[in-house]
Amino acid sequence: MLPWKRVLRPLTALLLAAAAVAAVPAATAHAADAAPSRGWNDFSCKPSTAHPRPVVLVHGTLGNSVDNWLSLAPYLKDRGYCVFSLDYGQLTGVPLFHGLGPIDKSAEQLSAYVDKVLAATGAAKADLVGHSQGGMMPRYYLKFLGGAGKVNALVGLAPDNHGATLSGLTGLLPYFPGAGDLIKATTPGLADQIPGSGFLTKLNTGGDTVPGVHYTVIATKYDEVATPWRSQYLSGSDVHNVLLQDLCPLDLSEHVAIGLFDRIAFHEVANALDPAHATATTCASALS
């Protein structure tokens, strides 16, 4: 049997590779510092009467403010929303792949960004749409950093609200002493997402939600990161939990696709942002 130290490095690499499922392939990566060219992050945009709140998009682990939203940002922009996206959780020397820093600190970055968006647009509140960690991390902002007074709705696409087991892979960590400490030291944002972490315990103690915010969770049963997929769901009086396959049984999207290009999921996002004008989400929504 191999000594644990000889197995530790490959295991850590495997964990990181599995987490990378949440990111856009590097081959499609764009410089996250470059301004998006498809009409979002326009700080001169003023919300309309029809859509009075700006939408802030929150990328997932190993994502960034551009690549995660190449489809959803234009989708919402074309429907009349002022759309913004931020980078958070950056590690020194790691370009493009963000969301790896301590999640409580990432929530502070989100707080500052929402303030910036509200100041620029003149809106009283924003709506948040996040993918993976980006659907979970804002809950810390809402619960502990005063975000509940500045946010109308949080929509999570495959959010790891109660941790990401990576299809059970994180369950192997106890068999490799020191592996958890290594991950926490090098990529604390990953460590914070392991079920049972101190961060998740604090986040979920006392209830999943806070009053005054509308919550929507859009999950897929083919998720391989935030598993089991039902762990994505929230409990609370103002929560709408949705399984994508209940809307369209033919939808095969997994953890990546639901956030990157699934227009059926996008249609449900639009419904969550404007429930007064919601229309039924079906397989045909892929063409809408």
Side-chain angles (χ1 to χ4, degrees):
M1 183 175 180
L2 291 173
W4 73 265
K5 288 185 178 180
R6 294 178 59 185
V7 183
L8 175 56
R9 190 173 298 277
L11 175 63
T12 304
L14 185 58
L15 282 168
L16 291 172
V21 173
V24 182
T28 66
H30 292 68
D33 293 333
S37 59
R38 300 193 182 188
W40 81 95
N41 278 349
D42 175 6
F43 279 85
S44 67
C45 185
K46 300 299 180 183
S48 65
T49 302
H51 301 302
R53 292 177 300 275
V55 178
V56 175
L57 304 177
V58 190
H59 65 74
T61 306
L62 296 174
N64 62 60
S65 63
V66 179
D67 293 329
N68 215 136
W69 307 119
L70 290 173
S71 294
L72 181 57
Y75 181 96
L76 294 175
K77 184 70 178 176
D78 289 347
R79 283 157 180 76
Y81 289 91
C82 291
V83 182
F84 302 86
S85 61
L86 78 155
D87 289 302
Y88 69 87
Q90 301 94 326
L91 293 182
T92 301
V94 181
L96 299 176
F97 300 107
H98 304 319
L100 296 173
I103 298 181
D104 58 347
K105 301 303 181 184
S106 294
E108 292 176 5
Q109 291 178 277
L110 174 62
S111 176
Y113 191 81
V114 170
D115 285 349
K116 179 181 177 181
V117 168
L118 294 181
T121 60
K125 290 187 176 184
D127 288 325
L128 307 180
V129 179
H131 180 208
S132 192
Q133 180 189 161
M136 174 271 289
M137 175 271 280
R139 292 178 48 226
Y140 190 95
Y141 162 57
L142 299 177
K143 193 170 186 178
F144 299 110
L145 302 179
K150 302 175 182 179
V151 172
N152 169 72
L154 170 61
V155 184
L157 290 159
D160 55 338
N161 281 314
H162 299 94
T165 67
L166 304 177
S167 298
L169 188 60
T170 57
L172 298 176
L173 287 173
Y175 296 99
F176 301 93
D181 291 338
L182 176 61
I183 294 171
K184 185 174 182 179
T186 57
T187 53
L190 294 184
D192 284 345
Q193 294 177 77
I194 296 174
S197 71
F199 173 83
L200 286 172
T201 299
K202 178 180 179 179
L203 177 64
N204 292 314
T205 296
D208 291 344
T209 64
V210 295
V213 179
H214 309 293
Y215 295 82
T216 299
V217 172
I218 305 172
T220 170
K221 68 179 182 181
Y222 300 113
D223 203 302
E224 70 279 44
V225 175
T227 53
W229 62 262
R230 287 182 179 84
S231 69
Q232 300 172 27
Y233 282 0
L234 296 172
S235 297
S237 60
D238 196 351
V239 173
H240 182 46
N241 293 313
V242 180
L243 180 64
L244 198 56
Q245 285 72 34
D246 286 343
L247 306 176
C248 176
L250 301 178
D251 196 316
L252 301 179
S253 290
E254 39 63 69
H255 190 81
V256 177
I258 192 174
L260 297 192
F261 51 76
D262 190 325
R263 292 177 70 91
I264 297 171
F266 294 176
H267 187 272
E268 194 63 12
V269 169
N271 281 346
L273 295 176
D274 188 8
H277 299 95
T279 57
T281 300
T282 67
C283 294
S285 300
L287 304 175
S288 64

